[in-house]
Amino acid sequence: QVQLVESGGDLVQPGGSLRLSCTASGFIFSFYVMSWYRQAPEKERELVADITRSETTNYAPSVKGRFTISRDNAKNTVYLQMNTLKPEDTAIYYCNTRIYGRNYWGQGTQVTVSP
């Protein structure tokens, strides 16, 4: 079955950096778009970034220039490098893929940006 496992969330000070990882299994990873979403308290889940099989990337305006999404198909892993973090980046970050019209989600990893 499809599994997505995120890691790398932490408490970090404003201006700091983190790298999130999502390791996938149960499907042909290289075939599919991989995405990162986030959900802050009392807010809707929002798309942060995604990357296609040809490594075309797309970013939310709020993170463009600060975050970088990448993938390693040999390791079935997608990454989110987050630089110049701000308190408003605080959220649970989820890995996502969509296969035959069905969304699959990881369990999420908490990122907290605070002095």
Side-chain angles (χ1 to χ4, degrees):
Q1 70 276 23
V2 173
Q3 284 195 316
L4 302 171
V5 180
E6 303 99 332
S7 61
D10 206 346
L11 170 64
V12 63
Q13 293 188 344
S17 297
L18 280 176
R19 188 175 83 154
L20 306 183
S21 300
C22 169
T23 301
S25 61
F27 64 104
I28 304 174
F29 178 81
S30 61
F31 280 14
Y32 294 96
V33 174
M34 297 300 299
S35 305
W36 285 98
Y37 283 74
R38 67 185 181 187
Q39 188 165 18
E42 300 182 0
K43 290 191 176 180
E44 291 191 356
R45 194 170 295 190
E46 63 175 357
L47 177 66
V48 175
D50 55 38
I51 184 166
T52 68
R53 56 187 294 179
S54 60
E55 302 196 14
T56 300
T57 57
N58 172 60
Y59 297 94
S62 59
V63 307
K64 200 166 187 177
R66 300 189 296 122
F67 290 12
T68 302
I69 189 171
S70 62
R71 66 191 298 161
D72 184 339
N73 291 335
K75 295 183 178 180
N76 283 5
T77 300
V78 59
Y79 303 99
L80 186 68
Q81 177 67 44
M82 306 187 293
N83 298 329
T84 320
L85 282 160
K86 304 176 181 180
E88 51 264 43
D89 295 318
T90 295
I92 300 173
Y93 284 70
Y94 296 93
C95 183
N96 166 274
T97 193
R98 190 172 175 88
I99 302 172
Y100 295 121
R102 177 178 173 178
N103 277 306
Y104 293 88
W105 300 93
Q107 82 286 352
T109 187
Q110 176 70 49
V111 172
T112 303
V113 185
S114 179

